[in-house]
Amino acid sequence: MITAILVGLAPAIFILLFFSAVISATETSMTAASRSRMHKLERDGDKAAARVNRLISNQEKLIGAILLSNNAINIGASALATTVLTAAIPGPTGPLVATVMMTALVVIFAEILPKTLAIAQPDRAARLLSLPATWVVKIFGPLANSAQWVVRLTLRPFGIKLDMETDVLAAHEEIRGAVEYHHSEGLVENRDRLMLGGVLDLAEMDVTQVMVHRKSISMIDIALPVREFVAAVLASAHTRTPVFRDEPENIVGFLHAKDLLRALAEADGAMDRVDVEAMLREPWFIPDTTNLKDQLNAFLKRHKHFALVVDEYGGLKGLITLEDILEEIVGEIEDEHDVTVPGVRPQPDGSVSVDGSVPIRDLNRAMDWDLPDEDAVTVAGLVIHEAQTIPRVGQTFIFYRHRFQIVRRERNQITALRVSPPIEAPVEE
């Protein structure tokens, strides 16, 4: 009779282990599958890829259903094996043998083997297993949602609040990690890595991090005689120039060089007949809290290239252009009228002579460094932030494995520094 029981239950145990292996392979393939490839296949009409995209669009529910079903199957298989071996082997030896045997079977054949096969070809495995995965989610999904609700209710007294829509993976960080990985493997060039990283950074940066500070803005007084006004426009390296009245804070508009050229042509070169104020275009003021992604979209939507940045009190903080934002993606853009100010000058000893006004991001790009830019925009600002004081000429500081030496200071502004390359951390024995 015991032999009959063993013969009858053994196939059930192996069937459960097979289902466990399928679910383990599903979990691995769904999390490792290329989302971009799945979206492309779906656009090409692949129904299996469409199922994969629907499943991973609610990844928390998918993983919850898979874990719940897999645990139920493994526990069921272990319970059957324990029942059979306890009947066949009296005493405590039966459960012990069942535990050892089921642990080996589950780990090898229901975990390691299927996951290894799935990770070898995740896209193909995900498409192949998308149909059984859909049924698993339909059957166990409601139970998984209930389990998540219990978890959230349990964590709430500890001050941990999770929304039902909480995403397990941050899409931007996933893309960034993939780019960094392929760059380390030599498959993505450094310039492409910086461009892709620049696109991802736009939503995390505000306009104050790339704007031209008000101290560096070239602007013209509208009260100047027309001849001097025209000379000032021609002397400027920029196509669009802010115009102020009485004081630099009072911007009344901006002048496009093309409008001035058209007015001079219509006046047959007679500058006294040119009405400067009639040529001015209305200035566009934006708050300093605007992030770069929103501002880029606003530039494209309004077909404008130029905006003035103001603080919460309406005071002028700086100026930002479409080119400034694009340079965060593609790097420095220079044309034949740009006045090139290097700002970053590598030295023979490996150090770098840097102007204090150089943005940290530009220095990082130029030298392939990783200085933080969360608390300061310029290199001088980073030193002041870390030193918690305005350094004197000759002082040296070590931050983030770099040595910063103050070379020149004008009043309270650091204008030149010498920065060493990253100092290698000591190796612990």
Side-chain angles (χ1 to χ4, degrees), residues 15 37 44 47 52 69 110 146 159 164 178 197-198 220-221 223 290 293 310 328 336 347 366 416 423 429:
I15 290 173
R37 178 167 172 75
D44 293 340
K47 294 182 179 179
V52 173
S69 59
S146 300
M164 289 297 289
I220 305 175
D221 188 351
T290 307
K293 181 181 178 182
V310 295
E328 288 303 307
E336 62 274 18
Q347 302 300 309
I423 301 169
E429 298 183 357

Side-chain angles (χ1 to χ4, degrees), residues 22-339:
V22 170
I23 293 174
S24 294
T26 301
E27 177 187 5
T28 300
S29 62
M30 290 294 171
T31 55
S34 170
R35 296 190 180 187
S36 59
R37 178 167 172 75
M38 289 299 112
H39 282 294
K40 182 181 183 303
L41 289 173
E42 182 181 1
R43 288 196 299 270
D44 293 340
D46 192 309
K47 294 182 179 179
R51 284 196 297 267
V52 173
N53 288 330
R54 284 196 299 271
L55 289 167
I56 62 179
S57 65
N58 191 348
Q59 199 168 43
E60 187 175 5
K61 184 177 181 179
L62 170 66
I63 297 300
I66 286 175
L67 292 177
L68 190 59
S69 59
N70 209 10
N71 278 296
I73 290 172
N74 289 338
I75 292 171
S78 300
L80 283 177
T82 303
T83 301
V84 171
L85 292 175
T86 300
I89 306 174
T93 307
L96 179 61
V97 172
T99 301
V100 174
M101 182 185 74
M102 288 305 299
T103 299
L105 290 174
V106 169
V107 170
I108 295 173
F109 296 104
E111 290 290 336
I112 297 177
L113 178 61
K115 289 186 176 181
T116 301
L117 292 174
I119 202 67
Q121 292 185 325
D123 293 350
R124 183 179 178 184
R127 292 170 59 246
L128 182 65
L129 298 170
S130 60
L131 189 57
T134 301
W135 282 104
V136 168
V137 171
K138 285 183 178 179
I139 296 170
F140 291 92
L143 297 175
N145 285 339
S146 300
Q148 290 290 348
W149 181 80
V150 172
V151 169
R152 289 178 171 84
L153 199 63
T154 305
L155 293 176
R156 189 170 298 171
F158 299 97
I160 302 175
K161 296 182 179 180
L162 300 175
D163 297 328
M164 289 297 289
E165 294 79 13
T166 299
D167 192 8
V168 179
L169 295 174
H172 281 196
E173 292 308 315
E174 184 180 359
I175 297 172
R176 194 189 306 276
V179 172
E180 293 293 339
Y181 169 75
H182 289 299
H183 171 67
S184 67
E185 294 292 313
L187 302 176
V188 175
E189 295 183 3
N190 187 56
R191 182 175 180 84
D192 294 335
R193 176 178 72 93
L194 293 174
M195 288 176 62
L196 291 169
V199 172
L200 297 175
D201 288 338
L202 291 184
E204 302 172 6
M205 300 174 62
D206 59 52
V207 292
T208 60
Q209 294 179 265
V210 301
M211 70 180 186
V212 178
H213 193 271
R214 64 181 182 182
K215 289 179 62 177
S216 303
I217 297 177
S218 299
M219 56 180 70
I220 305 175
D221 188 351
I222 197 172
L224 289 175
V226 175
R227 187 172 296 277
E228 293 182 26
F229 190 96
V230 172
V233 172
L234 294 176
S236 174
H238 308 289
T239 306
R240 300 168 180 84
T241 307
V243 178
F244 69 92
R245 176 179 281 114
D246 299 331
E247 57 182 21
E249 287 280 337
N250 184 27
I251 304 293
V252 294
F254 72 92
L255 177 68
H256 196 296
K258 192 174 182 179
D259 294 335
L260 177 61
L261 181 62
R262 184 183 296 110
L264 288 172
E266 291 175 354
D268 292 329
M271 294 188 183
D272 294 338
R273 293 168 50 192
V274 173
D275 185 355
V276 172
E277 193 160 353
M279 292 186 293
L280 296 184
R281 301 193 181 193
E282 184 180 357
W284 179 18
F285 296 96
I286 62 172
D288 56 3
T289 54
T290 307
N291 70 53
L292 292 187
K293 181 181 178 182
D294 291 342
Q295 187 56 40
L296 175 60
N297 291 332
F299 274 138
L300 298 176
K301 184 177 180 179
R302 298 180 61 160
H303 305 289
K304 292 192 175 183
H305 293 230
F306 177 98
L308 296 164
V309 182
V310 295
D311 59 23
E312 59 183 316
Y313 301 105
L316 181 66
K317 290 192 69 173
L319 175 154
I320 187 168
T321 66
L322 177 61
E323 182 177 312
D324 292 328
I325 300 179
L326 294 179
E327 286 181 343
E328 288 303 307
I329 302 173
V330 302
E332 192 68 24
I333 301 173
E334 295 180 356
D335 60 30
E336 62 274 18
H337 295 291
D338 279 338
V339 179

